[in-house]
Amino acid sequence: MQIRVRGVNKKITSQELKYAAEWMSRLIMSSQLIKNIKVTISFKGERGFLGSTEITDYDDQKPRRFLIQLDPKSSRNSTLKTLAHELVHVKQFARGEMVDLIRSPHVKWNKQYVDQDKLDYWDLPWEIEAFGREYGMYRRYTNHLKEADIWFNDDK
């Protein structure tokens, strides 16, 4: 996985963010898929915004380039949980499980059309999966750091 970090969150280093993204991705994606994915992580947002995932190459039904935007003011733990959540969306798009139908309220989810305007955000199947996986991925990552005795220094 190629990862670029743009912007700053003073509570987490770009070194740890890259490491966490690669480590968490291995929990949910094959190594073959991971090596073909390019992700830019950008710290940008407004109050109440935690994160989002956008496809940056629309050449294929199974895109490989993504932009993950994260809140620059979130705590380290919140940033890592949100990163895990957004990586689930990367996996969904990259494997073709979710296809964003541009200019349409419909999203193709596992070969079925879902009208996202007719469902509450919390009932969207792709959000159910992302929220269901985010905390477990975060906990496994933090346990991994403790067990492997890995510490990240400030980028400064």
Side-chain angles (χ1 to χ4, degrees):
M1 180 178 282
Q2 291 182 0
I3 303 167
R4 269 184 29 204
V5 177
R6 292 191 316 214
V8 179
N9 177 327
K10 294 179 182 175
K11 296 171 183 105
I12 189 167
T13 66
S14 60
Q15 178 189 13
E16 179 173 13
L17 208 56
K18 288 177 182 180
Y19 182 85
E22 288 180 27
W23 194 91
M24 289 178 185
S25 293
R26 287 193 297 268
L27 295 175
I28 58 172
M29 293 184 241
S30 71
S31 57
Q32 182 65 34
L33 182 58
I34 289 169
K35 78 178 176 185
N36 292 307
I37 301 256
K38 294 180 181 180
V39 174
T40 298
I41 299 170
S42 175
F43 286 103
K44 182 180 178 183
E46 48 199 65
R47 199 170 203 61
F49 166 92
L50 292 176
S52 68
T53 299
E54 295 175 30
I55 299 166
T56 58
D57 67 337
Y58 276 95
D59 297 340
D60 195 344
Q61 288 288 339
K62 295 179 183 176
R64 298 294 180 254
R65 293 176 190 231
F66 302 90
L67 171 64
I68 293 176
Q69 292 187 343
L70 300 172
D71 178 1
K73 294 184 170 76
S74 282
S75 69
R76 175 183 171 275
N77 292 343
S78 179
T79 298
L80 289 169
K81 287 176 199 166
T82 303
L83 176 64
H85 180 106
E86 298 307 329
L87 287 168
V88 172
H89 292 317
V90 167
K91 185 255 326 168
Q92 292 167 343
F93 284 125
R95 291 186 58 196
E97 297 166 348
M98 180 165 62
V99 178
D100 189 7
L101 304 173
I102 302 167
R103 296 185 202 110
S104 169
H106 292 91
V107 171
K108 195 172 178 183
W109 172 254
N110 289 324
K111 300 180 182 172
Q112 294 189 0
Y113 292 94
V114 175
D115 185 344
Q116 58 188 344
D117 289 346
K118 291 186 177 178
L119 289 174
D120 187 81
Y121 171 81
W122 298 100
D123 295 327
L124 296 168
W126 50 91
E127 295 300 342
I128 291 170
E129 180 186 11
F131 279 109
R133 287 182 174 254
E134 86 177 33
Y135 187 72
M137 290 168 63
Y138 163 76
R139 290 296 298 167
R140 289 176 71 184
Y141 172 73
T142 57
N143 288 341
H144 161 73
L145 293 182
K146 287 176 190 168
E147 291 168 7
D149 198 28
I150 296 173
W151 297 90
F152 290 94
N153 298 325
D154 287 343
D155 280 342
K156 302 169 190 161

